[in-house]
């Protein structure tokens, strides 16, 4: 991962947080449904941490949150 795309990863993390809260889930609940550690979700969502994620991970998050994957990629 390069610094060039860090803004995009932070934006994705903020959207994960937004849609997770909108779905009424905690980080722990999302992590449990995905089969990952809560700290992993925390790293994705933290605005001060640049955490690269795979498309597979993005698709799994989208599936659990019932959100179309492209919505995480829209830059506001």
């Amino acid at each position: 991962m390069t610094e060039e795309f860090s803004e995009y990863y932070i934006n994705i993390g903020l959207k994960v947080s937004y849609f997770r809260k909108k779905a009424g889930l905690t980080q722990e609940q999302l992590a449990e449904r995905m089969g990952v550690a809560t700290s992993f979700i925390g790293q994705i969502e933290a605005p001060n941490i640049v955490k690269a994620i795979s498309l597979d991970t993005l698709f799994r998050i989208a599936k659990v949150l019932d959100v179309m994957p492209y919505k995480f990629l829209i830059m506001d």
Side-chain angles (χ1 to χ4, degrees):
M1 182 195 61
T2 64
E3 288 291 317
E4 178 181 6
F5 301 116
S6 61
E7 181 181 341
Y8 294 110
Y9 287 114
I10 291 170
N11 186 63
I12 289 169
L14 293 173
K15 288 184 183 292
V16 169
S17 176
Y18 170 78
F19 286 114
R20 175 184 57 76
K21 290 173 185 174
K22 188 174 178 184
L25 297 176
T26 64
Q27 287 183 345
E28 293 82 9
Q29 291 168 324
L30 176 57
E32 184 177 304
R33 292 181 187 189
M34 290 181 60
V36 299
T38 302
S39 61
F40 180 68
I41 301 300
Q43 289 174 0
I44 292 171
E45 293 185 4
N48 60 332
I49 297 174
V50 179
K51 177 70 174 167
I53 62 171
S54 69
L55 283 175
D56 285 348
T57 298
L58 183 69
F59 295 154
R60 288 171 59 209
I61 292 169
K63 184 176 181 178
V64 170
L65 298 179
D66 195 28
V67 175
M68 294 299 295
Y70 78 88
K71 292 196 175 194
F72 294 100
L73 302 174
I74 297 171
M75 295 292 288
D76 297 326

